[in-house]
Amino acid sequence: MIKKEEKETLTQLLKNHALGSEILWSFEFEESHNSSVEEIYNKVINFCHVYGPAPQYDEFITAMKIVADASDGMTAKEHKLISSFSEDLMERFQRDIDKLKQFEKKEYR
């Protein structure tokens, strides 16, 4: 459950963002459908993985930290979730790189 202060912080962060209205819409969609943290986590991590590496992920992770800190500071659970997201994403990209390396080895034999 997102707290009022966190939602206000998110809205402020996205105020001048090029995709701010789309991001807020997506956030409100998930909230209105009572999506669990696990469901949203999986959707976002899968989207990022399919989309591929992008410099915006650093901005996204920073935004998650700012929003989590907006209401009484970041909890241990929020910290773990954000760290897990970063690690999961990097592991997925590393697996992709490893697969590409194996493919290249087979192609050039």
Side-chain angles (χ1 to χ4, degrees), residues 70-84:
S71 176
D72 302 324
M74 188 183 312
T75 66
K77 187 175 180 179
E78 290 168 328
H79 184 270
K80 184 178 178 183
L81 181 72
I82 293 168
S83 294
S84 176

Side-chain angles (χ1 to χ4, degrees), residues 17 21 24 35 55-57 69 75 83 100-101 105 109:
H17 192 281
S21 60
L24 283 173
S35 299
Q56 294 85 355
Y57 298 150
D69 199 44
T75 66
S83 294
L100 284 173
K101 286 179 182 177
K105 285 180 184 177
R109 285 187 180 171

Side-chain angles (χ1 to χ4, degrees), residues 28-41:
E28 290 171 1
F29 173 86
E30 296 297 346
E31 188 177 41
S32 71
H33 285 83
N34 297 317
S35 299
S36 71
V37 171
E38 292 81 17
E39 289 172 320
I40 296 168
Y41 182 98

Side-chain angles (χ1 to χ4, degrees), residues 5-10 65-74:
E5 297 89 354
E6 293 171 334
K7 192 168 187 174
E8 289 170 356
T9 299
L10 178 64
K65 291 175 182 176
I66 292 169
V67 170
D69 199 44
S71 176
D72 302 324
M74 188 183 312

Side-chain angles (χ1 to χ4, degrees), residues 45-64:
I45 202 87
N46 287 329
F47 173 83
C48 292
H49 181 234
V50 170
Y51 187 79
Q56 294 85 355
Y57 298 150
D58 190 43
E59 177 185 351
F60 177 60
I61 291 167
T62 299
M64 287 193 306

